[in-house]
Short mmCIF file of all heavy atoms in Angstrom, two decimals:
data_model
loop_
_atom_site.label_atom_id
_atom_site.label_comp_id
_atom_site.label_asym_id
_atom_site.label_seq_id
_atom_site.Cartn_x
_atom_site.Cartn_y
_atom_site.Cartn_z
N ASP A 29 128.89 -66.07 53.83
CA ASP A 29 129.52 -67.46 53.96
C ASP A 29 130.56 -67.40 55.01
O ASP A 29 131.36 -66.49 55.14
CB ASP A 29 130.08 -67.76 52.65
CG ASP A 29 129.00 -67.94 51.58
OD1 ASP A 29 127.83 -68.20 51.91
OD2 ASP A 29 129.37 -67.68 50.36
N LEU A 30 130.60 -68.53 55.77
CA LEU A 30 131.65 -68.70 56.81
C LEU A 30 132.75 -69.60 56.19
O LEU A 30 132.47 -70.49 55.36
CB LEU A 30 131.07 -69.38 58.07
CG LEU A 30 129.82 -68.67 58.72
CD1 LEU A 30 129.37 -69.42 59.93
CD2 LEU A 30 130.28 -67.26 59.03
N SER A 31 133.99 -69.36 56.60
CA SER A 31 135.08 -70.14 56.10
C SER A 31 135.37 -71.43 56.62
O SER A 31 135.96 -72.34 56.03
CB SER A 31 136.39 -69.28 56.22
OG SER A 31 136.64 -69.03 57.53
N GLN A 32 134.76 -71.68 57.89
CA GLN A 32 134.88 -72.94 58.48
C GLN A 32 133.52 -73.36 59.10
O GLN A 32 132.69 -72.47 59.36
CB GLN A 32 135.91 -72.98 59.64
CG GLN A 32 137.35 -72.67 59.13
CD GLN A 32 138.29 -72.55 60.31
OE1 GLN A 32 138.18 -71.77 61.15
NE2 GLN A 32 139.23 -73.50 60.34
N GLU A 33 133.35 -74.65 59.44
CA GLU A 33 132.12 -75.09 60.10
C GLU A 33 132.23 -74.57 61.56
O GLU A 33 133.12 -74.95 62.30
CB GLU A 33 131.98 -76.56 60.02
CG GLU A 33 130.77 -77.13 60.70
CD GLU A 33 130.66 -78.63 60.61
OE1 GLU A 33 131.43 -79.28 59.99
OE2 GLU A 33 129.70 -79.07 61.28
N PRO A 34 131.20 -73.85 62.00
CA PRO A 34 131.25 -73.36 63.37
C PRO A 34 130.67 -74.32 64.40
O PRO A 34 129.77 -75.11 64.06
CB PRO A 34 130.46 -72.04 63.25
CG PRO A 34 129.37 -72.35 62.34
CD PRO A 34 130.06 -73.21 61.28
N ILE A 35 130.95 -74.12 65.66
CA ILE A 35 130.20 -74.71 66.74
C ILE A 35 128.94 -73.65 66.91
O ILE A 35 129.27 -72.51 67.25
CB ILE A 35 130.90 -74.83 68.00
CG1 ILE A 35 132.10 -75.74 67.79
CG2 ILE A 35 130.02 -75.27 69.16
CD1 ILE A 35 133.07 -75.85 69.00
N GLU A 36 127.83 -74.08 66.49
CA GLU A 36 126.73 -73.08 66.25
C GLU A 36 126.40 -72.18 67.46
O GLU A 36 126.16 -71.01 67.36
CB GLU A 36 125.45 -73.79 65.90
CG GLU A 36 124.36 -72.94 65.34
CD GLU A 36 123.30 -73.74 64.73
OE1 GLU A 36 123.40 -74.92 64.35
OE2 GLU A 36 122.18 -73.07 64.55
N SER A 37 126.58 -72.78 68.64
CA SER A 37 126.27 -72.00 69.87
C SER A 37 127.35 -70.86 70.18
O SER A 37 127.05 -69.97 71.02
CB SER A 37 126.22 -72.91 71.17
OG SER A 37 127.47 -73.49 71.31
N THR A 38 128.44 -70.84 69.47
CA THR A 38 129.48 -69.90 69.62
C THR A 38 129.37 -68.75 68.54
O THR A 38 130.16 -67.76 68.72
CB THR A 38 130.90 -70.48 69.60
OG1 THR A 38 131.13 -70.90 68.20
CG2 THR A 38 131.03 -71.63 70.55
N ILE A 39 128.41 -68.76 67.72
CA ILE A 39 128.39 -67.68 66.66
C ILE A 39 127.96 -66.41 67.27
O ILE A 39 126.95 -66.32 68.01
CB ILE A 39 127.42 -68.09 65.59
CG1 ILE A 39 127.92 -69.34 64.81
CG2 ILE A 39 127.34 -66.95 64.56
CD1 ILE A 39 126.88 -69.90 63.79
N LYS A 40 128.63 -65.35 67.01
CA LYS A 40 128.38 -63.97 67.36
C LYS A 40 128.44 -63.12 66.06
O LYS A 40 129.36 -63.19 65.36
CB LYS A 40 129.33 -63.43 68.46
CG LYS A 40 129.19 -64.22 69.75
CD LYS A 40 130.13 -63.58 70.73
CE LYS A 40 130.02 -64.35 72.06
NZ LYS A 40 130.96 -63.88 73.12
N VAL A 41 127.43 -62.33 65.89
CA VAL A 41 127.30 -61.45 64.78
C VAL A 41 127.40 -59.93 65.23
O VAL A 41 126.58 -59.57 66.15
CB VAL A 41 126.02 -61.70 64.04
CG1 VAL A 41 125.83 -60.81 62.80
CG2 VAL A 41 125.92 -63.21 63.59
N PHE A 42 128.20 -59.21 64.54
CA PHE A 42 128.34 -57.72 64.90
C PHE A 42 128.06 -56.99 63.59
O PHE A 42 128.58 -57.34 62.50
CB PHE A 42 129.72 -57.50 65.29
CG PHE A 42 130.13 -58.26 66.61
CD1 PHE A 42 130.60 -59.49 66.51
CD2 PHE A 42 129.87 -57.65 67.85
CE1 PHE A 42 130.97 -60.19 67.75
CE2 PHE A 42 130.24 -58.32 69.00
CZ PHE A 42 130.77 -59.65 69.01
N LEU A 43 127.33 -55.92 63.78
CA LEU A 43 127.14 -54.92 62.67
C LEU A 43 127.52 -53.60 63.09
O LEU A 43 127.02 -53.03 64.12
CB LEU A 43 125.60 -54.94 62.22
CG LEU A 43 125.23 -54.04 61.06
CD1 LEU A 43 125.99 -54.38 59.76
CD2 LEU A 43 123.77 -53.99 60.87
N ASN A 44 128.59 -53.01 62.42
CA ASN A 44 129.20 -51.75 62.80
C ASN A 44 129.60 -51.68 64.35
O ASN A 44 129.34 -50.74 64.94
CB ASN A 44 128.21 -50.66 62.47
CG ASN A 44 127.90 -50.52 61.03
OD1 ASN A 44 128.85 -50.76 60.17
ND2 ASN A 44 126.73 -50.26 60.67
N GLY A 45 130.15 -52.78 64.80
CA GLY A 45 130.72 -52.91 66.15
C GLY A 45 129.67 -53.33 67.10
O GLY A 45 130.05 -53.47 68.34
N ASN A 46 128.41 -53.34 66.80
CA ASN A 46 127.30 -53.72 67.71
C ASN A 46 126.90 -55.16 67.61
O ASN A 46 126.52 -55.51 66.46
CB ASN A 46 126.11 -52.73 67.60
CG ASN A 46 126.51 -51.29 67.81
OD1 ASN A 46 127.05 -50.99 68.89
ND2 ASN A 46 126.23 -50.47 66.96
N GLN A 47 126.85 -55.89 68.74
CA GLN A 47 126.46 -57.29 68.59
C GLN A 47 124.95 -57.40 68.26
O GLN A 47 124.14 -56.73 68.91
CB GLN A 47 126.73 -57.99 69.86
CG GLN A 47 126.52 -59.56 69.70
CD GLN A 47 126.96 -60.37 70.82
OE1 GLN A 47 127.66 -59.84 71.73
NE2 GLN A 47 126.69 -61.62 70.86
N ARG A 48 124.62 -58.23 67.27
CA ARG A 48 123.24 -58.47 66.96
C ARG A 48 122.81 -59.86 67.53
O ARG A 48 123.42 -60.87 67.13
CB ARG A 48 123.06 -58.51 65.44
CG ARG A 48 123.39 -57.12 64.77
CD ARG A 48 122.27 -56.35 64.36
NE ARG A 48 121.13 -57.00 63.75
CZ ARG A 48 120.85 -56.79 62.45
NH1 ARG A 48 121.54 -55.97 61.70
NH2 ARG A 48 119.79 -57.44 61.83
N SER A 49 122.01 -59.89 68.48
CA SER A 49 121.57 -61.12 69.08
C SER A 49 120.27 -61.75 68.45
O SER A 49 120.05 -62.87 68.74
CB SER A 49 121.24 -60.97 70.60
OG SER A 49 120.30 -59.97 70.80
N GLN A 50 119.78 -61.07 67.51
CA GLN A 50 118.57 -61.49 66.79
C GLN A 50 118.57 -60.94 65.36
O GLN A 50 119.40 -60.25 65.02
CB GLN A 50 117.32 -61.21 67.52
CG GLN A 50 117.17 -59.72 67.72
CD GLN A 50 115.94 -59.46 68.73
OE1 GLN A 50 115.27 -60.39 69.20
NE2 GLN A 50 115.61 -58.18 68.98
N ASN A 51 117.62 -61.39 64.55
CA ASN A 51 117.43 -60.97 63.13
C ASN A 51 118.43 -61.46 62.24
O ASN A 51 118.75 -60.95 61.20
CB ASN A 51 117.29 -59.47 63.12
CG ASN A 51 116.09 -58.97 63.88
OD1 ASN A 51 115.03 -59.47 63.95
ND2 ASN A 51 116.30 -57.82 64.52
N TRP A 52 119.05 -62.67 62.65
CA TRP A 52 119.94 -63.37 61.74
C TRP A 52 119.76 -64.84 62.01
O TRP A 52 119.34 -65.23 63.19
CB TRP A 52 121.43 -63.00 61.88
CG TRP A 52 122.01 -63.14 63.25
CD1 TRP A 52 122.04 -62.26 64.30
CD2 TRP A 52 122.63 -64.31 63.84
NE1 TRP A 52 122.69 -62.81 65.38
CE2 TRP A 52 122.96 -64.04 65.11
CE3 TRP A 52 122.88 -65.55 63.17
CZ2 TRP A 52 123.61 -64.99 65.85
CZ3 TRP A 52 123.53 -66.47 64.04
CH2 TRP A 52 123.90 -66.22 65.28
N THR A 53 120.10 -65.66 61.05
CA THR A 53 120.07 -67.09 61.19
C THR A 53 121.28 -67.76 60.58
O THR A 53 121.89 -67.20 59.78
CB THR A 53 118.77 -67.73 60.61
OG1 THR A 53 118.79 -67.38 59.17
CG2 THR A 53 117.50 -67.22 61.20
N TYR A 54 121.61 -68.89 61.20
CA TYR A 54 122.72 -69.61 60.70
C TYR A 54 122.18 -70.85 59.76
O TYR A 54 121.22 -71.56 60.39
CB TYR A 54 123.68 -70.16 61.77
CG TYR A 54 124.69 -71.25 61.30
CD1 TYR A 54 125.69 -70.87 60.40
CD2 TYR A 54 124.60 -72.57 61.63
CE1 TYR A 54 126.56 -71.81 59.90
CE2 TYR A 54 125.46 -73.46 61.18
CZ TYR A 54 126.49 -73.01 60.30
OH TYR A 54 127.34 -74.05 59.82
N ASP A 55 122.65 -71.11 58.74
CA ASP A 55 122.20 -72.22 57.84
C ASP A 55 123.33 -73.16 57.78
O ASP A 55 124.39 -72.87 57.13
CB ASP A 55 121.80 -71.77 56.46
CG ASP A 55 121.25 -72.90 55.55
OD1 ASP A 55 121.51 -74.03 55.81
OD2 ASP A 55 120.49 -72.46 54.66
N SER A 56 123.18 -74.39 58.29
CA SER A 56 124.33 -75.39 58.43
C SER A 56 124.45 -75.98 57.04
O SER A 56 125.57 -76.49 56.69
CB SER A 56 123.98 -76.37 59.40
OG SER A 56 122.87 -77.15 59.17
N ILE A 57 123.50 -75.95 56.19
CA ILE A 57 123.66 -76.60 54.83
C ILE A 57 124.51 -75.74 53.93
O ILE A 57 125.41 -76.26 53.27
CB ILE A 57 122.25 -76.83 54.20
CG1 ILE A 57 121.48 -77.81 55.02
CG2 ILE A 57 122.45 -77.24 52.75
CD1 ILE A 57 120.03 -78.02 54.60
N THR A 58 124.32 -74.41 54.05
CA THR A 58 125.18 -73.50 53.17
C THR A 58 126.35 -72.93 53.95
O THR A 58 127.09 -72.26 53.36
CB THR A 58 124.31 -72.36 52.68
OG1 THR A 58 123.78 -71.61 53.73
CG2 THR A 58 123.17 -72.95 51.69
N ASN A 59 126.45 -73.22 55.25
CA ASN A 59 127.39 -72.71 56.13
C ASN A 59 127.49 -71.19 56.00
O ASN A 59 128.54 -70.62 55.74
CB ASN A 59 128.80 -73.33 55.83
CG ASN A 59 129.73 -73.04 57.01
OD1 ASN A 59 129.42 -73.10 58.25
ND2 ASN A 59 131.03 -72.81 56.68
N SER A 60 126.34 -70.51 56.22
CA SER A 60 126.24 -69.05 56.15
C SER A 60 125.39 -68.49 57.19
O SER A 60 124.54 -69.19 57.74
CB SER A 60 125.79 -68.72 54.70
OG SER A 60 124.63 -69.27 54.45
N VAL A 61 125.55 -67.20 57.37
CA VAL A 61 124.71 -66.40 58.29
C VAL A 61 123.89 -65.51 57.36
O VAL A 61 124.40 -64.88 56.43
CB VAL A 61 125.49 -65.66 59.28
CG1 VAL A 61 124.69 -64.61 59.93
CG2 VAL A 61 126.15 -66.61 60.22
N THR A 62 122.58 -65.43 57.54
CA THR A 62 121.66 -64.57 56.75
C THR A 62 120.91 -63.60 57.75
O THR A 62 120.33 -64.00 58.71
CB THR A 62 120.63 -65.36 56.05
OG1 THR A 62 121.37 -66.33 55.17
CG2 THR A 62 119.77 -64.51 55.13
N PHE A 63 120.96 -62.31 57.37
CA PHE A 63 120.23 -61.28 58.07
C PHE A 63 118.86 -61.26 57.55
O PHE A 63 118.56 -61.35 56.37
CB PHE A 63 120.81 -59.92 57.80
CG PHE A 63 122.19 -59.64 58.57
CD1 PHE A 63 123.31 -60.06 58.00
CD2 PHE A 63 122.18 -58.98 59.73
CE1 PHE A 63 124.53 -59.86 58.69
CE2 PHE A 63 123.42 -58.73 60.41
CZ PHE A 63 124.49 -59.25 59.85
N SER A 64 117.92 -61.03 58.49
CA SER A 64 116.47 -61.02 58.09
C SER A 64 115.83 -59.59 58.19
O SER A 64 114.85 -59.33 57.50
CB SER A 64 115.59 -62.01 58.91
OG SER A 64 115.78 -61.60 60.33
N VAL A 65 116.47 -58.78 58.98
CA VAL A 65 115.98 -57.37 59.24
C VAL A 65 117.15 -56.50 59.26
O VAL A 65 118.29 -56.87 59.77
CB VAL A 65 115.17 -57.36 60.56
CG1 VAL A 65 114.76 -55.93 60.83
CG2 VAL A 65 113.96 -58.17 60.55
N ASN A 66 117.05 -55.28 58.86
CA ASN A 66 118.16 -54.25 58.90
C ASN A 66 119.41 -54.87 58.19
O ASN A 66 120.49 -55.00 58.79
CB ASN A 66 118.58 -53.87 60.30
CG ASN A 66 117.41 -53.05 61.00
OD1 ASN A 66 116.63 -52.39 60.35
ND2 ASN A 66 117.29 -53.29 62.25
N ILE A 67 119.22 -55.23 56.96
CA ILE A 67 120.24 -55.87 56.16
C ILE A 67 121.40 -54.88 55.94
O ILE A 67 121.12 -53.84 55.63
CB ILE A 67 119.63 -56.39 54.81
CG1 ILE A 67 118.56 -57.45 55.14
CG2 ILE A 67 120.61 -56.99 53.91
CD1 ILE A 67 117.70 -57.88 53.97
N PRO A 68 122.61 -55.40 56.14
CA PRO A 68 123.75 -54.51 55.88
C PRO A 68 123.79 -53.92 54.50
O PRO A 68 123.50 -54.63 53.55
CB PRO A 68 124.96 -55.38 56.15
CG PRO A 68 124.44 -56.47 57.01
CD PRO A 68 123.02 -56.69 56.51
N GLY A 69 124.17 -52.66 54.37
CA GLY A 69 124.39 -51.97 53.07
C GLY A 69 125.67 -51.48 52.95
O GLY A 69 126.67 -51.70 53.71
N GLU A 70 125.89 -50.61 51.96
CA GLU A 70 127.17 -50.01 51.61
C GLU A 70 127.70 -49.21 52.83
O GLU A 70 126.91 -48.49 53.46
CB GLU A 70 126.98 -48.96 50.51
CG GLU A 70 128.34 -48.39 49.99
CD GLU A 70 128.07 -47.49 48.78
OE1 GLU A 70 126.98 -47.13 48.52
OE2 GLU A 70 129.13 -47.18 48.22
N GLY A 71 129.02 -49.52 53.16
CA GLY A 71 129.65 -48.87 54.28
C GLY A 71 129.42 -49.56 55.60
O GLY A 71 130.11 -49.20 56.59
N ASP A 72 128.50 -50.51 55.73
CA ASP A 72 128.39 -51.19 56.91
C ASP A 72 129.47 -52.21 57.15
O ASP A 72 130.04 -52.81 56.09
CB ASP A 72 127.02 -52.03 56.97
CG ASP A 72 125.93 -51.05 57.21
OD1 ASP A 72 126.02 -50.03 57.91
OD2 ASP A 72 124.78 -51.38 56.75
N VAL A 73 129.88 -52.48 58.34
CA VAL A 73 130.98 -53.43 58.66
C VAL A 73 130.32 -54.64 59.39
O VAL A 73 129.69 -54.49 60.43
CB VAL A 73 132.10 -52.83 59.49
CG1 VAL A 73 133.09 -53.94 59.95
CG2 VAL A 73 132.71 -51.69 58.86
N VAL A 74 130.47 -55.83 58.80
CA VAL A 74 129.87 -57.01 59.37
C VAL A 74 131.05 -57.95 59.84
O VAL A 74 131.97 -58.14 59.09
CB VAL A 74 129.07 -57.93 58.41
CG1 VAL A 74 128.61 -59.17 58.91
CG2 VAL A 74 127.90 -57.00 57.92
N GLU A 75 130.98 -58.37 61.07
CA GLU A 75 131.96 -59.26 61.61
C GLU A 75 131.27 -60.41 62.27
O GLU A 75 130.27 -60.17 63.07
CB GLU A 75 132.85 -58.59 62.73
CG GLU A 75 133.91 -59.50 63.35
CD GLU A 75 134.69 -58.78 64.40
OE1 GLU A 75 134.40 -57.58 64.78
OE2 GLU A 75 135.67 -59.40 64.85
N ILE A 76 131.64 -61.65 61.89
CA ILE A 76 131.07 -62.79 62.46
C ILE A 76 132.17 -63.64 63.11
O ILE A 76 133.11 -64.00 62.38
CB ILE A 76 130.31 -63.67 61.29
CG1 ILE A 76 129.24 -62.78 60.65
CG2 ILE A 76 129.72 -64.96 61.95
CD1 ILE A 76 128.66 -63.39 59.51
#
């Protein structure tokens, strides 16, 4: 979940310090980012 409504084109997703340009989607209805592949697990660091 995101804490504020984003300007969608500015969203950047990082997993363990590496930017992910695909395999995630933004849902404006729930104001959240969802991973579709290589879903983060224990010990992974996600930064949006």
Side-chain angles (χ1 to χ4, degrees):
D29 296 330
L30 303 182
S31 60
Q32 297 177 298
E33 181 183 353
I35 298 172
E36 192 169 345
S37 63
T38 68
I39 299 172
K40 292 182 182 176
V41 177
F42 299 86
L43 179 61
N44 297 322
N46 299 309
Q47 185 171 355
R48 300 257 312 250
S49 59
Q50 55 188 5
N51 300 321
W52 61 268
T53 56
Y54 170 68
D55 184 338
S56 61
I57 295 171
T58 61
N59 196 38
S60 62
V61 168
T62 300
F63 286 83
S64 57
V65 177
N66 297 326
I67 298 167
E70 183 177 13
D72 286 330
V73 176
V74 175
E75 181 181 7
I76 302 170

